Amino acid sequence: MSDLKEKFFQVRELTKIYKMGEVEVHALRGVNLELYAGELVVLLGPSGSGKSTLLDIMGGLDTATGGFVSYRGKELTNATDKEFTQYRRFHVGFVFQFYNLISSLTARENVSVVTEIAEKPMVPEKALDLVGLSERLNHFPAQLSGGEQQRVAIARAISKNPAVLLCDEPTGALDSQTGVVVLQALERINRELGTATAIITHNVDIAGMADRVIHLSNGKIAEVTVNKVKKSASELQW
Amino acid sequence: MKALTRKLWRELWQMKGRVFAITLVVTSGVATFIMFISTVHSLEFTRTKFCHDYNFADVFVNLKRAPENLKDKIKDINGVNQLETRVCAQAKLDIKGFAESVTGKIISIPDDGKLLLNRLYIRKGRLPEPFRDDEVVINETFAQAHNLNPSDQFAAVINGKWKKLTITGIALSPEDILLMKAGAMSPDFKRYGALWMTRKAISKAYDMDGAFNDVVLTLYPGAKLSDVIIDNILGRYGGLKKKGSILAEDVGKGLKNAGDEIEKFGKKFLLSECLECDSCQMHQLCFLTFTFPEVTQQI
Ligand SMILES: Nc1ncnc2c1ncn2[C@@H]1O[C@H](COP(=O)(O)OP(=O)(O)OP(=O)(O)O)[C@@H](O)[C@H]1O
Ligand SMILES: [Mg+2]
C-alpha cells in the first residue's frame, strides 16, 4: 500500500555526532527511513536512542553530521537558513511534550500566532474544533488542563495545514485517559486532513494505532513493523 | 490586533506596577538630566553674555613698568581691537576682626571712571570719586566673606604705607568670577579679594605716574594670539618671560597643560603662571586669560 503513496521523507545513512569537548556522542549512526504521505508512524526506542534527534533533523530544527534527508524530493541537508525557515513555517507542524503555549494569550490567540503568518491557514476556531476544544476558545492556558493545553498545541501545529506533523512525546506529561483524548485528536487530523504524522513515544501500547512502527536503538533503526490491523486511539489503554 | 501585539499589551498590563515604576524612574532621570543640561546651558549663556556685555578682555599682560605712550604701539599690532592700560598691585589688607593675612589685588579704574574692558557691575554703592585716593570698590564674594558694605572701612599696606580705605561699592567683574591666588587650588574668598581704586591713587602710591604695569586687550574676531606678539614690544619693560617668552608655542603648551581648567571653565579659562623674570630676579605673577576668538565671534 505504501508504495503507491508519495514518499514525503527519504532518510539515507543519516548520522549525527554531538561534540562535547573531547567527547563525541553518536546520536545517530546511519539511519535509513521513508515516510509516506498520509501515514501515521510511531517511533519507539529506549531513552537516548536518537528519536528526538531524528525528528529534529527531519523537522529542520537541527542539522545532520552526515547522510541526507529529502522532503518531497528536495534535499534538506544542504538547505539555506532561509529555506529552512520557509520549510518549518509552511510544511511542518511540531508538537512537544511540554506544550509551549503563550500564557498571556487565550487558546484562540495562541493558534492565531501561527495562522497570522501561515500561507494557507485554517481559521483558529476550526483548528480548535478538530481537537475538540470549540468550547474553550477564550480560555487562557492556566485555565486549561494538561490534556487541553496539549490539544491547543496540536491545534496550533495543524492550523497552518502542514503536510507533516512531528510529535515528540505528545502524551508524555499526561495520564492515560487524557493521553487517549490527545491521541484521538491526532488520529482525527491524520484521517480527516491526511496529514502525515510521526509520533515519538516510550509507550509501546500507543504503537497499536500506527500504520508502521519504527524501533530505534542506539542510533540505528532496529526494526520496522507494519500493523496489519490498526487500533483506534479510543481502544488504547495503558 | 495581531496576537503578538496583544501579548505585548497584556503582559505590559500584567506588570503595570513595575512598568509604572520604571517609567517614573526613567522619566525623572530624563527630567533631571534635561534640567541640568538647561541649567548648564543657561549658565554658559549667562557667563558668555556677562563676559560680552562687560567687555571681558581676551589677552592679559602683566609687566614691570612701561611708559604710557607705548599704548599706541600695542594698539597698532595687527589683530588688537580694544586696549586698556592699568596699574595693578598686590597689597596686604588689614580687616577688622580677621586676624589672618589677607591679600588684595588692586586694579586701577581710569580717572574718568569709565572702564573700557572688564567693566564692573556695581551691585551696591558707587565707584570711587575721581579725586579720592582712599575710596575703593571691592568684589562681591570678598565683601560677603567679611560681611563688608559700602561705607565700611578697612586698612591696606600700600607700597609699605598703612592706609585706611573706605568702601564705596560692591562689584562683580568678569575678570574675577573665580578669584584665585596664584598657586591656590581653590578660591579663598576670605583671604583674597579684588579692589578697584582710581588710577591716580594707585599711580601715586606705586610711583607709576605716566606709566602702566598691566595691559588688557581684546582681539578682532578671528585674530590668533600667535599673530599678536606683544612680547616684542613689552619684553624690555619686564613684561613676560625673557628666557622663552610667552609666544604662541608657550600658550599652546599652556593650553595643553591647562586641559583640566578648560574642563572647569568651559571655553574661557584662566591660566596663571609663576614666571621668573630675568630683570628683577623675582617671581612675578602673570595672568593670562585667553578667550577663543571663535566664541567672541559668535556673540
Ligand atoms: N544537544 C545535545 N548535545 C549533546 N548530546 C546530545 C544533545 N542532544 C542529544 N544528545 C545525545 O544524543 C543522544 C540521543 O538523544 P535523543 O534526545 O535523540 O534521545 P531520545 O531517543 O529522544 O531520548 P528520550 O527518549 O530520553 O527523549 C543521547 O545520548 C543524548 O545524550
Ligand atoms: Mg527525546
Side-chain angles (χ1 to χ4, degrees):
Chain A
M1 162 185 105
S2 301
D3 296 339
L4 305 174
K5 295 197 173 172
E6 188 191 349
K7 249 183 221 170
F8 263 16
F9 282 97
Q10 193 157 22
V11 179
R12 284 286 165 270
E13 291 304 322
L14 193 69
T15 56
K16 176 70 184 180
I17 302 168
Y18 289 108
K19 286 204 175 67
M20 310 276 289
E22 295 289 288
V23 191
E24 288 191 347
V25 180
H26 291 258
L28 296 176
R29 306 162 184 266
V31 170
N32 294 294
L33 174 76
E34 278 89 33
L35 191 65
Y36 296 92
E39 76 168 339
L40 194 154
V41 300
V42 164
L43 282 152
L44 276 176
S47 185
S49 55
K51 305 183 294 294
S52 298
T53 306
L54 176 60
L55 219 67
D56 287 350
I57 293 172
M58 286 167 69
L61 297 179
D62 203 350
T63 51
T65 310
F68 84 84
V69 180
S70 69
Y71 168 75
R72 285 179 150 173
K74 272 178 89 181
E75 207 170 320
L76 287 179
T77 10
N78 53 16
T80 61
D81 270 358
K82 203 177 162 205
E83 287 168 335
F84 258 135
T85 307
Q86 296 281 314
Y87 167 63
R88 280 190 300 256
R89 183 176 293 181
F90 303 126
H91 300 279
V92 231
F94 285 98
V95 178
F96 299 98
Q97 179 174 1
F98 302 102
Y99 331 119
N100 302 327
L101 298 177
I102 297 168
S103 62
S104 54
L105 296 181
T106 62
R108 193 210 315 253
E109 288 159 355
N110 262 285
V111 177
S112 305
V113 171
V114 169
T115 58
E116 277 164 10
I117 59 167
E119 249 174 355
K120 293 172 291 189
M122 55 180 88
V123 289
E125 290 78 3
K126 171 155 189 236
L128 285 160
D129 186 43
L130 278 169
V131 296
L133 284 179
S134 25
E135 306 293 304
R136 295 278 197 279
L137 298 177
N138 296 321
H139 284 58
F140 286 95
Q143 300 165 326
L144 296 167
S145 75
E148 287 165 343
Q149 288 185 52
Q150 187 60 297
R151 282 187 281 155
V152 174
I154 293 171
R156 180 178 59 183
I158 56 147
S159 64
K160 59 180 158 187
N161 275 314
V164 192
L165 190 59
L166 304 176
C167 314
D168 196 343
E169 300 188 42
T171 60
L174 305 169
D175 63 44
S176 75
Q177 264 184 323
T178 318
V180 166
V181 178
V182 167
L183 291 173
Q184 280 175 316
L186 289 173
E187 185 183 49
R188 179 173 175 196
I189 286 149
N190 175 251
R191 193 178 58 234
E192 291 183 12
L193 306 178
T195 314
T197 307
I199 303 169
I200 289 179
T201 178
H202 280 123
N203 196 328
V204 189
D205 298 295
I206 293 175
M209 68 182 279
D211 293 308
R212 288 192 302 149
V213 183
I214 297 162
H215 296 263
L216 263 105
S217 165
N218 199 18
K220 280 191 158 171
I221 297 204
E223 194 190 0
V224 180
T225 53
V226 178
N227 281 334
K228 294 256 164 55
V229 192
K230 240 166 86 169
K231 277 190 195 166
S232 102
S234 53
E235 294 172 71
L236 300 176
Q237 217 173 5
W238 64 87
Chain B
M1 198 181 351
K2 289 232 173 171
L4 286 178
T5 319
R6 201 167 293 187
K7 167 180 174 344
L8 173 72
W9 286 114
R10 245 175 235 164
E11 286 173 9
L12 277 177
W13 181 247
Q14 275 164 8
M15 23 183 215
K16 52 185 176 297
R18 267 173 292 164
V19 170
F20 180 70
I22 291 166
T23 313
L24 214 65
V25 168
V26 171
T27 316
S28 48
V30 170
T32 313
F33 180 72
I34 290 171
M35 208 175 73
F36 278 126
I37 286 287
S38 25
T39 309
V40 165
H41 280 322
S42 79
L43 282 175
E44 256 167 13
F45 174 77
T46 311
R47 184 189 55 195
T48 311
K49 190 165 161 35
F50 181 54
C51 289
H52 176 246
D53 290 353
Y54 286 81
N55 226 357
F56 190 41
D58 293 328
V59 179
F60 290 62
V61 186
N62 201 241
L63 53 141
K64 246 200 122 192
R65 189 178 204 279
E68 186 66 23
N69 61 16
L70 214 64
K71 186 176 170 179
D72 298 331
K73 245 182 164 178
I74 304 171
K75 212 166 158 79
D76 284 345
I77 299 171
N78 237 344
V80 171
N81 184 1
Q82 289 168 301
L83 166 145
E84 188 158 66
T85 59
R86 316 190 294 187
V87 177
C88 296
Q90 302 258 357
K92 288 280 167 229
L93 308 184
D94 184 4
I95 310 249
K96 227 183 188 171
F98 192 73
E100 291 167 55
S101 127
V102 179
T103 309
K105 172 186 153 198
I106 309 176
I107 302 156
S108 65
I109 303 172
D111 291 334
D112 61 1
K114 288 199 181 98
L115 276 161
L116 186 63
L117 297 172
N118 302 344
R119 287 204 291 262
L120 296 181
Y121 174 75
I122 300 288
R123 298 274 282 184
K124 281 185 203 169
R126 56 165 177 85
L127 287 175
E129 296 283 0
F131 50 88
R132 297 293 295 259
D133 66 354
D134 61 348
E135 290 188 345
V136 286
V137 166
I138 61 172
N139 72 308
E140 190 179 41
T141 45
F142 183 64
Q144 281 168 348
H146 291 284
N147 197 18
L148 293 169
N149 279 302
S151 82
D152 286 349
Q153 291 189 319
F154 62 91
V157 181
I158 293 174
N159 209 11
K161 280 184 211 129
W162 197 86
K163 192 174 177 66
K164 194 158 226 166
L165 299 171
T166 306
I167 300 167
T168 59
I170 313 287
L172 293 176
S173 157
E175 190 177 347
D176 298 304
I177 289 175
L178 199 63
L179 195 60
M180 275 201 270
K181 209 167 167 172
M185 298 295 286
S186 59
D188 186 343
F189 303 130
K190 267 190 154 42
R191 289 173 192 79
Y192 196 62
L195 278 56
W196 287 269
M197 289 174 82
T198 58
R199 173 112 178 226
K200 206 179 270 170
I202 313 178
S203 300
K204 218 171 98 192
Y206 287 91
D207 195 21
M208 281 280 176
D209 268 334
F212 65 92
N213 68 359
D214 191 277
V215 192
V216 287
L217 50 92
T218 55
L219 301 178
Y220 279 113
K224 278 191 230 124
L225 197 64
S226 53
D227 300 338
V228 188
I229 308 175
I230 310 156
D231 198 42
N232 288 347
I233 299 169
L234 294 176
R236 47 189 287 243
Y237 299 99
L240 311 176
K241 251 198 311 197
K242 280 262 176 70
K243 331 175 207 167
S245 32
I246 299 191
L247 297 183
E249 293 81 8
D250 286 7
V251 172
K253 267 182 245 151
L255 287 181
K256 258 183 231 137
N257 298 338
D260 287 350
E261 265 134 311
I262 296 175
E263 287 291 324
K264 259 188 261 165
F265 295 100
K267 293 213 168 104
K268 296 194 173 72
F269 68 96
L270 192 75
L271 176 72
S272 63
E273 250 184 275
C274 209
L275 302 174
E276 201 171 343
C277 174
D278 252 7
S279 56
C280 55
Q281 291 298 323
M282 58 181 272
H283 282 83
Q284 191 181 5
L285 191 70
C286 176
F287 280 96
L288 178 78
T289 307
F290 180 76
T291 318
F292 289 106
E294 310 91 80
V295 183
T296 330
Q297 238 169 351
Q298 281 169 13
I299 298 170

